[in-house]
Amino acid sequence: ASPDQDLLFRSPVAFPLAPHGGPVYGAHFSPFHRNVVLSVSTDSSVRIYNVLNPRPLLVLEPTTASLFACAWSPFRPLVFAVAAADGNLYIYDLKRNKGRPEVTLKVTTDKSAVYSVAFNPRSSELLTTADGQGVVKVWRLSGALSTMAPRELEALDALATTRAAATADDGDDDSEGDGYGDGDDDNRRRESDNEEAGGF
């Protein structure tokens, strides 16, 4: 008799994490911290977990639309992008602000969904999206989003050891001294600083 497949391939370690309120369409481990994972769902939330803790470290809601994909930057430990059903791509920079996207890119002209996002692993300024219009676009990021900030790795470590989940409502509260700056309101959404490939 053949061995039970569950016994042959069962993972020796399980990390049960607190569930989203809907189907999860994207998850991505941080390239800078082995225990930090990002996930997105149709419940409109972005969650960051430490896999050793079932509760999320941070919960964000960039939009009321479903979220379909997410990706960490391979060059900035606290930067990640989220693709949404409203046709936008939301880029967060947690070094500057924990509650709001740093940039919102209007990817589709008819508000059809953005289904995939990926950072270029060799060029820090390039990012690509794939959407419901059948179009793949390459975007150029600003230097601020593609160049590592001072003490950014330490800030990620601080996030990874956060005990309680934070929400978008209290994302601007830095009273615990975690090293994140709030940033200026005028710089939180810099849509015009990013261009599609072909306009470089």
Side-chain angles (χ1 to χ4, degrees):
S2 300
D4 188 329
Q5 296 296 303
D6 290 337
L7 294 177
L8 285 176
F9 300 106
R10 185 176 181 182
S11 172
V13 180
F15 298 102
L17 304 176
H20 281 265
V24 176
Y25 278 91
H28 189 205
F29 268 105
S30 166
F32 294 95
H33 196 297
R34 66 180 182 178
N35 292 332
V36 174
V37 64
L38 176 72
S39 64
V40 293
S41 166
T42 58
D43 67 3
S44 306
S45 75
V46 182
R47 294 191 176 200
I48 298 176
Y49 296 91
N50 182 322
V51 296
L52 302 179
N53 183 347
R55 295 185 60 190
L57 305 173
L58 189 64
V59 178
L60 304 166
E61 293 186 4
T63 176
T64 58
S66 297
L67 305 177
F68 291 130
C70 58
W72 288 100
S73 166
F75 298 96
R76 287 285 314 278
L78 293 172
V79 168
F80 60 86
V82 176
D86 60 7
N88 291 331
L89 183 76
Y90 299 93
I91 303 177
Y92 282 86
D93 183 352
L94 299 182
K95 188 74 171 71
R96 293 182 56 81
N97 190 285
K98 291 188 294 181
R100 304 176 187 177
E102 182 73 5
V103 172
T104 298
L105 294 175
K106 296 180 180 179
V107 178
T108 60
T109 57
D110 62 355
K111 295 186 178 181
S112 58
V114 184
Y115 289 108
S116 183
V117 58
F119 287 87
N120 188 307
R122 295 191 178 185
S123 179
S124 63
E125 295 183 352
L126 298 183
L127 173 146
T128 187
T129 57
D131 61 55
Q133 291 181 310
V135 179
V136 175
K137 296 179 180 178
V138 179
W139 306 81
R140 186 187 298 276
L141 301 177
S142 66
L145 287 172
S146 55
T147 304
M148 189 179 297
R151 302 188 64 185
E152 191 167 352
L153 285 171
E154 290 89 336
L156 177 63
D157 288 338
L159 174 64
T161 57
T162 301
R163 291 185 179 180
T167 66
D169 291 335
D170 61 16
D172 291 334
D173 182 5
D174 289 330
S175 59
E176 296 182 1
D178 55 11
Y180 303 126
D182 286 338
D184 298 326
D185 288 337
D186 292 340
N187 293 326
R188 282 171 177 161
R189 295 175 182 267
R190 295 197 297 258
E191 292 93 338
S192 61
D193 289 345
N194 298 272
E195 304 171 1
E196 293 182 34
F200 290 173

